[in-house]
Amino acid sequence: MTTVWILGDQLLEDHPALAEADPKETVVLFVESQRRGGHLKYHQHKLVLIYAAMRHRAKELRQADWTVDYRSLEKTKDFTAGLKAHLKEYEPERIVLMEPNDWATTQALPKLEKAIKVPMETVPTTMFLVGRGEFAQWAGEKKSLLMESHYRRMRKKLGLLVDENGEPEGGEWNYDSENRQTFSQFKKVAPQVPVLPTSPEADDSDLQDVIGLVAKHFADHPGKAENFWLPVTRASARKWLDSFIKTRLEGFGPWEDTMVEGEPKLFHSVLSPLLNIGLLTPLECVQAAVEAYRKGRAPLSSVEGFVRQIIGWREFVNGIYWHRMPGYTHLNGLGAKRPLPEWVWGEEGKETEMNCLRQSVREVRDSGYNHHIQRLMVLGNYFLLSGTDTAEVLDWYNSMYVDAYDWVMAANVIGMILYADDGYLATKPYAAGSGYINKMSNYCKGCRYKPSVKTGEEACPFNYLYWNFYGEHLARFSKNHRVAFMVKQWEKKSAAEQAAIREQAAAFLAG
Ligand code: FAD
Ligand code: SF4
């Protein structure tokens, strides 16, 4: 008898370990671990998503005549306890699982094997389009990596939006000039933002059980389990994808970077929570988008933008994670060590007065979701400019987001927002003053600060934090030609101006 152990973030319909298995000689094991669920203060919606999706997957496998052993949270302290109870009952000769998606679990397997005294084998993951070895070969010993090169390579490799000579469809690799429209363009066009479908399993009793369980066991975690909003089965994830393709893909490109108060999802796909646990595959998502383009239902600019996010960024951050671990998550190239501010948890009475941050925190507190510009250019920008401790920032993102996993957070936080990997992922820091946020959103309108004011009581803190950041890291950035201009601007300021900026930044961060 063989056990196939299916991990909670590997709920693929075509799980590679099952493809090889004989249902008569196999038990499929699922383990919910109390300790894993409480490792960080994970958002309640993330926990509901994982446990409910695991339970549904187990049910589907039972209906397909597999023998399933489900170790539920109420009775399972940790993975070792779950496995030991399983071994006692089923006595398998070996345990097969797919390569875990994160470093810590991968490292823990030999220890676990020793503890349970049953051989464990892994099969290669099928959750990504680039194998770990293939990416490592491409990345080699390079000091920094260009996402664009990886992306073009992927387009050619997969034959996506390229002609027979490997040239990009439409003549360009990138349609940014048609995408990424500002808030004033949004106001002018006034596009109708489609309503996101409700969770197809809203009335499902298994889901309701999990909601109750999470609310009870993880009561002090962010979010409210009862407001859960996502699909939890493969079938409804497919419908969720179809709905994006039909109603939001067309607007994806132009409004990809726009931020609108009260419209947290806009035209984004909201597919990452489902992709990251295997309810959808990256290839089917991009193929569905390309098909919509072929049928004339979505413009090339939107489709290319979406394809870039998935085969470009998603594969790139996963590749970096495996190429640079261990050690990557501990990098802190800018020496950031300020503790997290208390407003990041969105508790009433402790909110920040900076409206862009306050709105983004409220949205993630309530739903576990922000779109990429809120994560990067609002919250990430604040953490970068304020020098917030990298490990604390990483834990915060991992706790708050419904789609957060170590493999995806590491490069997005360490490399992209905090520039803590010395420019391995990004050629320059994603730092911005208020100008960018004011251009891309309507947040400033409802803010107690003024984006156009540079110093004094009413000044937007991003303005002086921005210059203070370049002042603090002068030596490092003066050698970076992409930001040398900013360094020069700082140097041109009088000593009195520089001192005033430093003082105001210090007072703000202390207060
Ligand atoms: P869309 O805007 O519709 O994009 C389509 C898909 O592209 C996403 O579903 C996702 O699978 C992929 N994608 C786009 N950008 C990235 C990226 N930078 N890295 C990986 N995948 C990407 N994504 C996560 O899946 N989990 C996270 O925990 C996560 N944390 C992030 C933290 C920071 C600081 C930043 C800057 C980005 C993070 N991202 C993360 C990437 C991106 O913000 C989310 O994937 C996206 O916002 C999810 O919403 P969506 O599905 O509506 O995405
Ligand atoms: Fe954010 Fe500054 Fe605009 Fe306020 S004024 S919303 S703090 S960018």
Side-chain angles (χ1 to χ4, degrees):
M1 181 69 84
T2 296
T3 291
V4 170
W5 181 16
I6 298 192
L7 303 180
D9 59 350
Q10 302 186 337
L11 304 174
L12 297 159
E13 186 175 44
D14 299 321
H15 192 289
L18 288 182
E20 314 265 300
D22 174 356
K24 291 191 199 80
E25 293 296 319
T26 307
V27 186
V28 186
L29 171 68
F30 292 82
V31 184
E32 295 175 351
S33 152
Q34 286 169 19
R35 182 171 294 167
R36 184 69 187 92
H39 174 64
L40 287 175
K41 292 241 175 294
Y42 297 116
H43 198 284
Q44 292 192 10
H45 291 182
K46 178 182 178 181
L47 296 172
V48 173
L49 172 67
I50 293 176
Y51 297 140
M54 283 170 75
R55 289 175 183 214
H56 275 94
R57 186 72 194 115
K59 206 174 185 178
E60 286 163 8
L61 288 169
R62 272 196 199 105
Q63 282 163 359
D65 285 339
W66 290 87
T67 306
V68 175
D69 180 23
Y70 200 98
R71 300 282 153 182
S72 63
L73 190 72
E74 301 95 314
K75 295 186 202 140
T76 317
K77 196 176 76 193
D78 54 25
F79 288 128
T80 312
L83 280 169
K84 282 188 171 162
H86 169 76
L87 297 179
K88 208 168 157 195
E89 197 171 335
Y90 290 91
E91 300 179 344
E93 284 142 27
R94 59 184 196 132
I95 298 178
V96 185
L97 66 158
M98 191 160 87
E99 288 171 328
N101 294 338
D102 67 285
W103 182 262
T105 312
T106 306
Q107 295 305 300
L109 288 184
K111 223 169 117 194
L112 200 56
E113 191 177 29
K114 225 169 152 185
I116 60 172
K117 299 189 186 78
V118 174
M120 294 178 93
E121 294 161 30
T122 57
V123 296
T125 177
T126 52
M127 288 185 67
F128 296 89
L129 298 164
V130 186
R132 295 170 192 173
E134 182 190 335
F135 189 90
Q137 205 174 6
W138 172 78
E141 298 298 312
K142 293 184 195 101
K143 284 215 168 95
S144 62
L145 301 180
L146 261 187
M147 201 294 282
E148 188 65 27
S149 317
H150 150 82
Y151 169 62
R152 292 183 188 184
R153 194 181 76 84
M154 290 297 292
R155 286 264 298 271
K156 290 181 193 163
K157 175 181 148 172
L158 299 169
L160 280 172
L161 299 176
V162 287
D163 65 20
E164 61 283 2
N165 302 316
E167 294 302 319
E169 191 131 347
E172 305 290 337
W173 288 103
N174 174 325
Y175 290 90
D176 277 358
S177 56
E178 292 168 44
N179 289 344
R180 306 183 166 178
Q181 311 246 8
T182 61
F183 180 77
S184 45
Q185 284 156 325
F186 183 88
K187 214 168 127 193
K188 204 157 120 198
V189 175
Q192 183 73 37
V193 180
V195 180
L196 205 67
T198 47
S199 168
E201 284 89 19
D203 299 324
D204 173 278
S205 64
D206 290 327
L207 176 61
Q208 291 308 323
D209 287 350
V210 172
I211 287 174
L213 205 65
V214 168
K216 181 174 152 205
H217 286 271
F218 305 99
D220 59 343
H221 287 217
K224 286 198 168 65
E226 67 263 28
N227 300 334
F228 184 75
W229 54 286
L230 285 157
V232 297
T233 63
R234 159 85 189 148
S236 49
R238 263 309 306 198
K239 287 190 192 142
W240 194 261
L241 168 64
D242 293 345
S243 154
F244 163 68
I245 300 286
K246 276 195 199 109
T247 64
R248 303 199 302 287
L249 176 62
E250 191 181 354
F252 178 85
W255 315 116
E256 195 181 348
D257 289 4
T258 323
M259 295 173 282
V260 182
E261 204 170 312
E263 288 289 0
K265 318 290 184 314
L266 281 172
F267 292 84
H268 287 272
S269 68
V270 198
L271 293 175
S272 53
L274 313 174
L275 273 164
N276 295 356
I277 59 171
L279 292 185
L280 292 172
T281 69
L283 195 58
E284 72 181 331
C285 294
V286 290
Q287 282 173 340
V290 171
E291 195 190 323
Y293 165 62
R294 300 261 174 260
K295 291 186 173 158
R297 292 185 187 144
L300 180 58
S301 50
S302 279
V303 172
E304 186 282 313
F306 178 71
V307 168
R308 169 183 295 269
Q309 298 301 317
I310 296 202
I311 67 167
W313 282 109
R314 185 172 189 271
E315 296 291 329
F316 189 60
V317 298
N318 183 56
I320 289 181
Y321 178 74
W322 287 100
H323 189 47
R324 292 291 306 267
M325 285 298 277
Y328 191 75
T329 45
H330 297 293
L331 296 177
N332 190 356
L334 297 181
K337 47 183 181 293
R338 189 177 301 284
L340 270 181
E342 62 176 4
W343 52 257
V344 294
W345 303 106
E347 288 171 34
E348 268 176 47
K350 292 184 182 169
E351 291 186 308
T352 170
E353 288 185 297
M354 295 171 75
N355 192 40
C356 50
L357 293 172
R358 185 173 60 216
Q359 296 302 331
S360 303
V361 167
R362 280 182 187 171
E363 285 167 11
V364 70
R365 175 200 65 194
D366 293 344
S367 68
Y369 180 90
N370 283 142
H371 75 61
H372 69 148
I373 296 301
Q374 294 169 303
R375 299 186 203 206
L376 176 66
M377 298 307 294
V378 176
L379 293 155
N381 190 35
Y382 179 87
F383 294 133
L384 170 74
L385 299 185
S386 61
T388 307
D389 185 273
T390 47
E392 290 197 23
V393 175
L394 192 56
D395 279 356
W396 180 81
Y397 275 96
N398 261 321
S399 300
M400 291 302 271
Y401 288 87
V402 73
D403 54 5
Y405 298 89
D406 213 33
W407 65 265
V408 61
M409 265 320 169
N412 275 307
V413 170
I414 298 294
M416 200 173 327
I417 68 165
L418 298 179
Y419 201 75
D421 64 359
D422 293 319
Y424 186 69
L425 177 146
T427 48
K428 69 181 183 73
Y430 282 90
S434 63
Y436 178 82
I437 296 172
N438 194 25
K439 187 170 87 177
M440 300 308 292
S441 77
N442 59 348
Y443 291 139
C444 300
K445 224 175 148 198
C447 188
R448 99 129 177 85
Y449 298 106
K450 303 263 179 298
S452 54
V453 181
K454 307 292 176 209
T455 50
E457 253 298 287
E458 289 204 316
C460 167
F462 276 127
N463 293 336
Y464 48 81
L465 290 177
Y466 178 78
W467 287 116
N468 180 61
F469 173 77
Y470 279 110
E472 259 184 34
H473 301 291
L474 208 57
R476 177 181 303 265
F477 291 129
S478 55
K479 292 185 208 102
N480 180 334
H481 72 278
R482 292 208 62 201
V483 287
F485 177 73
M486 294 305 160
V487 172
K488 285 218 170 65
Q489 294 294 103
W490 167 260
E491 285 172 335
K492 275 190 198 159
K493 291 184 192 294
S494 68
E497 256 183 296
Q498 290 184 355
I501 287 171
R502 284 200 161 113
E503 247 171 61
Q504 195 161 6
F508 176 81
L509 293 171

